[in-house]
Amino acid sequence: MDDLTLVRDHTVYRCVMGSRAFGLATEASDTDLRGVYLAPTPLFWRFDKPPTHVEGPRDEEFSWELERFCELALRANPNILECLHSPLVEEVTPVGEELLSLRGAFLSRRAHTSFSRYAESQRGKLLADVRVHGAPRWKHAMHLLRLLLSCRDLLRTGRLTIDAGPRRDRLLAVRRGELTWDEVDAWMARLTEETASALAGTPLPGEPDEARVADFLLRTRRASAARYGTDGPAPRR
């Protein structure tokens, strides 16, 4: 079974991400697709294991195998957690519905560390652009601000919301370069401080509910094994 067949035949969840999911799309915005596929259990009984991720088949499409997706979500990977909260769902199976029902199990205070590290890395790239070119890539600056806002609000409320909402106009102004870099950088610094303050009183638990996620994975693998037997799915003809 080739990689793209796994995505085509075994996707359990697919959503739109990027600017369209964030409410920040323009006419030029791509449609970024992200998905989760469940590799049939018998494929893991071979030396040649199924891939943990696959690019394609459509442009701007990327998918993870369910176990890898859950591992990253438990680590509070920002991109993965946001996939689970996209308002634009294209495909979802019963397994995908149960995955979505576990959104709260993945959320914990780990998000502060993971989001902050990612934000620090992205801000470093923006600063490098300012030094070399005199200005940052404004689109990237906009997305970093949105991420910081999302993290701060997650820590304050215990809920992850990825849509820009009422901040949309100001964020799009950043994208158009209508704010100075000093103004944007000051906004980033303020959000970083507010995020650190929110951590002290956050309703989020210290750790994700790994046992609940592990139970989901075990039941899903067993059901897949029962469905496909010992040989795995027959090749498409």
Side-chain angles (χ1 to χ4, degrees):
M1 178 180 297
D2 64 52
D3 295 356
L4 294 181
T5 299
L6 284 171
V7 174
R8 183 187 63 206
D9 295 348
H10 300 284
T11 289
V12 299
Y13 175 64
R14 181 185 292 116
C15 67
V16 175
M17 286 301 297
S19 295
R20 297 193 183 281
F22 302 146
L24 296 169
T26 67
E27 292 182 359
S29 295
D30 295 324
T31 299
D32 299 321
L33 296 173
R34 299 292 180 266
V36 182
Y37 59 91
L38 173 61
T41 300
L43 297 182
F44 289 92
W45 300 338
R46 308 170 182 178
F47 283 118
D48 187 16
K49 306 299 183 187
T52 58
H53 59 270
V54 175
E55 292 189 47
R58 289 182 279 182
D59 292 340
E60 309 298 332
E61 182 171 4
F62 191 97
S63 300
W64 295 267
E65 207 282 324
L66 178 64
E67 184 172 340
R68 177 59 174 165
F69 185 87
C70 289
E71 288 175 349
L72 293 172
L74 287 168
R75 298 177 194 170
N77 178 290
N79 292 322
I80 300 294
L81 289 182
E82 291 192 330
C83 281
L84 287 170
H85 293 78
S86 173
L88 304 176
V89 176
E90 285 210 335
E91 179 180 355
V92 62
T93 69
V95 171
E97 289 176 352
E98 186 168 2
L99 174 65
L100 291 179
S101 76
L102 291 171
R103 284 182 290 201
F106 293 110
L107 296 178
S108 72
R109 297 183 187 187
R110 289 183 183 180
H112 177 259
T113 300
S114 61
F115 278 64
S116 297
R117 286 178 177 171
Y118 181 79
E120 184 178 355
S121 171
Q122 295 303 304
R123 182 172 177 272
K125 295 177 181 179
L126 293 172
L127 288 170
D129 285 337
V130 172
R131 288 193 298 269
V132 175
H133 305 293
R137 288 171 289 182
W138 293 112
K139 178 181 176 180
H140 291 192
M142 174 193 72
H143 281 301
L144 177 51
L145 285 165
R146 186 212 57 81
L147 181 81
L148 289 167
L149 285 162
S150 181
C151 181
R152 182 199 65 184
D153 293 348
L154 167 62
L155 291 170
R156 284 178 172 178
T157 67
R159 299 185 302 275
L160 181 59
T161 302
I162 69 173
D163 188 273
R167 299 123 175 172
R168 179 178 186 273
D169 290 343
R170 191 163 188 233
L171 287 169
L172 288 174
V174 171
R175 179 174 183 153
R176 294 189 296 265
E178 295 174 359
L179 278 70
T180 67
W181 168 246
D182 285 345
E183 290 174 318
V184 169
D185 194 38
W187 190 5
M188 290 179 182
R190 185 167 65 254
L191 288 172
T192 300
E193 292 176 359
E194 291 173 353
T195 297
S197 297
L199 179 63
T202 183
L204 291 175
E207 301 293 332
D209 192 345
E210 186 170 342
R212 188 177 165 200
V213 177
D215 175 70
F216 161 65
L217 280 172
L218 180 61
R219 288 186 288 102
T220 302
R221 292 281 192 232
R222 282 177 172 167
S224 175
R227 178 180 181 185
Y228 292 112
T230 58
D231 297 325
R236 292 173 65 95
R237 300 184 184 278

